[in-house]
Amino acid sequence: MQPNRSHDNNLSWLSLDDNDHELLDRILRNEADMAYRRRARILLDYMELQDGDRVIDLGCGMGFYLMAMEKLRKLRLVGLDGETDRLLRAQIECSTPGLSSGDIHRLPFADGSFDKVLISEVLEHLTDDSAGLRQIYRILKPGGILSI
């Protein structure tokens, strides 16, 4: 696949094509924070999402990335967040059945469970980021992608 440069002259896109960018334009159209709009594209592109991947969004909040990923590809998605109120909103925003409340320091998943892991705006909230990253590494398949 040829890199797409239509949405940012300074970036070469790894995995997002023109259709993906058009979809993200629609999803992000009401987002006022330009840095967030750009960061969201970069994180999603970096993950190189492929149909069938098992992906977890740690600190999924209200489900923006889950909603975007389920529109971009046919994925097996899981979302985890420590805030129950945010998970209730995520249930409204996306159709991901795998939403659960939990702590990144004690992830309830088997070793090597996920092809891709997304963690956005979360590390700064962890009491022990090294321990959290060890847990993330544990659940990521060898050769998997972690997008921070």
Side-chain angles (χ1 to χ4, degrees):
M1 176 186 318
Q2 288 292 320
N4 176 316
R5 292 183 177 84
S6 65
H7 286 78
D8 192 322
N9 292 331
N10 299 320
L11 292 176
S12 293
W13 300 101
L14 298 172
S15 65
L16 296 178
D17 62 22
D18 286 335
N19 292 330
D20 296 331
H21 284 290
E22 288 175 20
L23 174 67
L24 290 171
D25 286 344
R26 287 192 303 276
I27 293 170
L28 291 163
R29 73 180 172 271
N30 292 323
E31 177 57 55
D33 183 342
M34 296 304 290
Y36 180 83
R37 292 172 70 160
R38 183 174 175 165
R39 184 171 56 252
R41 282 181 202 274
I42 291 168
L43 288 170
L44 292 167
D45 183 57
Y46 181 78
M47 293 180 72
E48 299 181 18
L49 298 169
Q50 301 292 318
D51 288 348
D53 282 345
R54 187 157 191 236
V55 181
I56 187 166
D57 181 358
L58 296 171
C60 67
M62 295 183 283
F64 169 78
Y65 285 106
L66 293 169
M67 180 267 301
M69 288 188 287
E70 73 184 12
K71 291 179 186 282
L72 287 169
R73 305 286 184 273
K74 294 175 182 163
L75 305 167
R76 296 173 294 148
L77 292 168
V78 175
L80 181 128
D81 201 281
E83 298 287 330
T84 307
D85 293 349
R86 291 174 182 257
L87 287 171
L88 292 173
R89 179 61 187 254
Q91 287 177 331
I92 295 167
E93 295 297 324
C94 58
S95 61
T96 302
L99 294 174
S100 61
S101 181
D103 181 353
I104 290 175
H105 297 99
R106 292 178 292 284
L107 293 173
F109 306 104
D111 295 358
S113 297
F114 295 94
D115 301 295
K116 315 281 171 67
V117 175
L118 173 65
I119 178 170
S120 176
E121 301 182 47
V122 172
L123 281 178
E124 63 270 22
H125 301 287
L126 299 181
T127 55
D128 184 347
D129 52 0
S130 293
L133 287 168
R134 281 192 297 276
Q135 282 290 301
I136 293 166
Y137 178 75
R138 180 185 64 75
I139 66 167
L140 186 61
K141 286 183 180 177
I145 295 176
L146 169 60
S147 185
I148 299 176

